[in-house]
Amino acid sequence: MSFNHKRDRIQIIAEILSNCRTPQTQTFIRRQTHLSYAMLQSYLMQLLGRQWLLPVQGDNKQAKFIITHKGQSFLEKWIELQKLTGIKDKQKLVAVIPPSKIHASSK
């Protein structure tokens, strides 16, 4: 079985939230996550809408973003899920196991 090396939506969200543990500008987030400007705008709008990120005023009046309690809760659960599944490298994806095989192996 081969793994897809592309990140999925949840991984990108987790990377954005992880980068925003301290207030960060859009430029910093974009460079760290390797997203296009348009893609970053889309993710930021989703995260702001879910109240997982909060915009704050930076030192030079440039908007920055910081993770909220809700976002931190999601990130902690994501990290725990990675530990439970044995994912050490954040670039790897979890192979999807059909529910029938999960129930069969747990009996």
Side-chain angles (χ1 to χ4, degrees):
M1 178 182 288
S2 66
F3 287 97
N4 182 354
H5 293 289
K6 292 184 180 181
R7 299 173 293 175
D8 66 7
R9 189 171 155 266
I10 303 273
Q11 288 174 314
I12 293 171
I13 288 171
E15 285 183 33
I16 293 170
L17 293 174
S18 181
N19 281 304
C20 292
R21 288 181 177 168
T22 59
Q24 300 298 339
T25 63
Q26 287 186 43
T27 303
F28 178 85
I29 299 166
R30 189 172 58 80
R31 288 179 180 162
Q32 293 297 310
T33 57
H34 305 287
L35 292 173
S36 69
Y37 179 81
M39 289 298 295
L40 178 62
Q41 293 303 308
S42 174
Y43 280 106
L44 288 177
M45 295 312 290
Q46 291 174 36
L47 295 172
L48 290 168
R50 288 187 178 124
Q51 298 177 345
W52 290 0
L53 278 183
L54 181 68
V56 293
Q57 199 68 15
D59 299 337
N60 56 357
K61 297 188 180 185
Q62 186 176 14
K64 292 186 176 187
F65 298 90
I66 191 162
I67 192 170
T68 65
H69 179 68
K70 286 182 181 181
Q72 184 63 39
S73 177
F74 167 82
L75 191 56
E76 288 168 3
K77 290 174 184 173
W78 170 246
I79 291 168
E80 182 64 26
L81 181 61
Q82 285 183 311
K83 288 178 184 176
L84 289 172
T85 58
I87 296 177
K88 292 186 172 81
D89 182 7
K90 64 183 176 182
Q91 295 299 319
K92 292 182 183 175
L93 298 177
V94 177
V96 178
I97 302 171
S100 60
K101 289 192 177 185
I102 293 173
H103 296 299
S105 64
S106 64
K107 292 181 180 177

